[in-house]
Amino acid sequence: YRIACVAGARPNFMKIAPVMKALQALGPQVDVKLVHTGQHYDEAMSAQFFAELGIPEPDVNLAAGSGSHAQQTADIMCKFEPVLDALQPHAVLVVGDVNSTLACTLVAVKRGTPVIHVEAGLRSFDRTMPEEINRVLTDQIAALLFTTEPAAQGHLLREGIAAERIHYVGNVMIDTLLGNLPNAAPAEQTVAAAGRPGFTSAPDGYAVVTLHRPANVDDAAVLRGLLDTVAHIAGRTPVVLPLHPRTRAAIERHGLQHLLARQDVLLLPPQGYLEMLGLMRSARVVLTDSGGIQEETTALGVPCITLRDNTERPITVEQGTNTIAGTDAQRILAIYDQLLAGGGKAGRVPHYWDGQAAVRIAQATLSWLQNGRP
Ligand code: UD1
């Protein structure tokens, strides 16, 4: 059986790595191909992850790049179609919720190739989020759906997806995390390499902040409010802030550089996987608008404050270390203060976030293929 795996943007890479490895471990029964859409193309956003995570060289790179949602999605679709025709896979496997996920799903399904969706059924119920649209549409037309947390199954069933298509397997992102934790780059080493040795050794620890969601960074007033809050936090615990290209551009566009120009804020370029893992693991607290980081902090047992009004990953709040704070400065600072005073959530690691999710996916995929793809 030939399976074409698709990855395109940074959060896809840590998900596709263990899935490809587990599929390849099935032996000669499966022929695994990798298609990189090129949605992310910077060394720091893509190649570094391939190297650190041992992802095989893509068989095809569509080099789609950036653009408006319509341009990017259409470009990936147009470039993926002939590749699909050439590869003739029995199934296309997509992960997550980025534009590459939906674009390749649409092409494959319309060409009669069934789609396997890893990380299905997550819902923020916020349709202003591009990822929510990608999730809902991908799940609706996928043939086989693998979920990371129990709530996902309920969402899918309510949307009319047949129960036999849905498999609760756990979280492949956590497979990658557990597999790579021993190799994480120590935080001290990362800040020293950035010319700030000792930055992460303050007595009260340090905070890691990440921001990249369009709703948080594209609007000048919202971004200003968040950066002001970051500056307040830095006054108490030093802040390490790796800047996503979108955020860096927005800060410059809105002329907000001065808010972060202070000794207790360390701006870094986008970090590699092992560097980010090391920074998060020893942080006192992580503040983020990322989906994946909510899960990674839960697995690490590090308190997380989510700078959004909702989450599609409720298990990180119900069981994990995550608190939803929104973007209101007072609220964020109140939660942060409580946490520093010792009121951080202890949390526990959800069921099946055990490092074996990809193995479950590979086994279920093989029997699905052998049983004639219901
Ligand atoms: C995408 C995903 C988002 C994910 C995020 C992680 C969608 C709709 N969004 O958002 O879910 O959380 O990736 O990073 O798919 N850019 C570069 N270098 C790159 C890639 C992008 O400089 O390698 C810049 C470009 O200016 C580009 C902008 O970042 O226009 C946004 O990139 P894009 O891929 O459109 O979306 P992300 O914001 O990265």
Side-chain angles (χ1 to χ4, degrees):
Y1 301 106
R2 180 168 306 131
I3 302 172
C5 296
V6 173
R10 186 169 62 180
N12 288 167
F13 304 138
M14 45 286 228
K15 295 172 195 167
I16 211 70
V19 173
M20 287 195 62
K21 205 163 144 205
L23 287 173
Q24 278 160 344
L26 294 171
Q29 299 181 86
V30 291
D31 173 20
V32 190
K33 301 287 186 203
L34 178 59
V35 178
H36 190 328
T37 66
Q39 177 174 344
H40 285 171
Y41 43 86
D42 283 354
E43 167 80 23
M45 299 292 283
S46 176
Q48 194 171 355
F49 287 79
F50 276 71
E52 288 186 345
L53 300 177
I55 306 171
E57 200 56 27
D59 296 279
V60 185
N61 192 323
L62 305 179
S66 303
S68 70
H69 283 269
Q71 282 165 346
Q72 188 176 63
T73 309
D75 197 27
I76 296 168
M77 289 180 72
C78 292
K79 289 175 170 162
F80 185 55
E81 190 168 55
V83 168
L84 187 68
D85 289 346
L87 289 176
Q88 295 280 322
H90 294 84
V92 168
L93 184 146
V94 299
V95 295
D97 55 13
V98 301
N99 285 346
S100 301
T101 310
L102 176 61
C104 295
T105 296
L106 266 175
V107 172
V109 170
K110 291 206 168 184
R111 274 293 210 242
T113 307
V115 166
I116 303 166
H117 186 205
V118 173
E119 199 185 270
L122 296 181
R123 294 291 179 269
S124 65
F125 300 101
D126 173 3
R127 294 220 169 167
T128 65
M129 271 179 87
E131 295 82 1
E132 182 75 355
I133 306 300
N134 295 341
R135 290 189 281 259
V136 168
L137 297 179
T138 299
D139 286 340
Q140 195 52 235
I141 55 178
L144 185 60
L145 299 92
F146 292 115
T147 61
T148 54
E149 58 173 281
Q153 162 121 355
H155 302 145
L156 293 170
L157 292 175
R158 270 192 297 283
E159 291 170 18
I161 315 274
E164 60 267 26
R165 294 186 187 278
I166 310 167
H167 297 255
Y168 171 38
V169 291
N171 196 326
V172 293
M173 194 140 189
I174 305 309
D175 290 5
T176 297
L177 182 141
L178 296 174
N180 286 283
L181 208 47
N183 302 326
E188 187 44 42
Q189 185 183 307
T190 300
V191 295
R196 296 295 302 274
F199 190 85
T200 45
S201 308
D204 281 336
Y206 64 97
V208 172
V209 177
T210 82
L211 281 173
H212 77 288
R213 219 151 270 294
N216 280 347
V217 309
D218 288 354
D219 179 86
V222 176
L223 182 59
R224 177 189 298 276
L226 283 168
L227 299 185
D228 263 332
T229 310
V230 169
H232 266 97
I233 284 172
R236 304 176 207 189
T237 43
V239 168
V240 180
L241 174 43
L243 275 185
H244 186 281
R246 175 193 285 282
T247 311
R248 179 175 292 279
I251 291 173
E252 284 165 17
R253 188 167 67 245
H254 301 310
L256 299 173
Q257 296 91 327
H258 61 282
L259 294 175
L260 299 178
R262 32 188 302 158
Q263 278 300 307
D264 45 21
V265 174
L266 175 57
L267 297 180
L268 295 177
Q271 293 296 294
Y273 184 77
L274 299 175
E275 290 71 19
M276 197 60 201
L277 201 50
L279 284 171
M280 290 193 293
R281 173 167 68 176
S282 39
R284 182 76 185 268
V285 53
V286 175
L287 297 100
T288 190
D289 61 7
S290 151
I293 289 177
Q294 295 173 50
E295 299 184 331
E296 289 167 339
T297 46
T298 275
L300 291 167
V302 171
C304 178
I305 299 177
T306 292
L307 307 173
R308 290 172 45 189
D309 294 324
N310 52 54
T311 180
E312 60 287 330
R313 293 159 159 93
I315 203 165
T316 60
V317 176
E318 288 152 13
Q319 298 185 15
T321 55
N322 191 16
T323 304
I324 303 296
T327 52
D328 176 70
Q330 304 257 304
R331 174 115 197 271
I332 297 166
L333 291 170
I335 295 169
Y336 169 85
D337 282 342
Q338 196 185 348
L339 203 149
L340 274 203
K345 290 172 71 182
R348 63 185 156 97
V349 179
H351 178 59
Y352 270 178
W353 291 22
D354 59 355
Q356 298 300 314
V359 171
R360 289 183 201 103
I361 288 172
Q363 279 158 359
T365 297
L366 183 60
S367 44
W368 173 78
L369 287 163
Q370 287 169 335
N371 293 329
R373 310 192 299 270

